[in-house]
Amino acid sequence: MITVTLGTIPYPFSRAIAWLNLLLEREIITEPVFLQHGITDIKTVCNHHLVTAVPLLPSHELAEKIMASRLVISHAGQGSTRKLAVQDKSFVILPRLSEHGEHVDDHQLLFAEGVKQLGVTVCMSAEDLELAVQQPPDPLQKDLFSGPKLGDFLAQKYSPSSGTQNSIGRYAT
């Protein structure tokens, strides 16, 4: 099975669906596909006999789908990429691009360029994705970002027990 996850932001990722449709039509993909599509219009693939699609899925259910997959195709969200890197699964990322109305800016492209240097496979074209489907990359099996998460750092830094006060003399929460 192949799992495709396009995230949950309020921007469509039509380019990813067009590529998926192309690979299904050309029978490059011949196995079941689970598609988490958010708000993206999936008319071109939703009736394909290999595709099961849902707009949203609880994270534990998505994790189960990922564990059952031979390949995961994901938007280039930082959280998704980080989770995939440590799950011992083959995955590729597709950065959303602002020029296609897929996001407000190109931070996913910049992120993808950075993690590509760490061994993450980035697909920038239908041809790249076709190659990844035919020859999935090896799992990374590593934490891409071994440092603390920003939220954890801020919570610790500004907790009442840390003694850090904000500018008006109150403890930050």
Side-chain angles (χ1 to χ4, degrees), residues 97-124:
L97 302 176
S98 63
E99 71 181 270
H100 300 293
E102 298 164 351
H103 217 308
V104 297
D105 60 22
D106 285 331
H107 73 275
Q108 284 196 0
L109 177 61
L110 297 172
F111 173 74
E113 290 170 351
V115 295
K116 185 176 183 178
Q117 297 174 21
L118 301 173
V120 175
T121 299
V122 178
C123 295
M124 295 300 299

Side-chain angles (χ1 to χ4, degrees), residues 31 103 168:
E31 65 195 286
H103 217 308
I168 57 174

Side-chain angles (χ1 to χ4, degrees), residues 2 20 23-24 26-33 50 73 133:
I2 295 174
L20 178 60
L23 297 180
L24 287 163
R26 293 179 52 211
E27 297 183 354
I28 302 299
I29 295 178
T30 58
E31 65 195 286
V33 174
L50 292 175
I73 300 167
V133 168

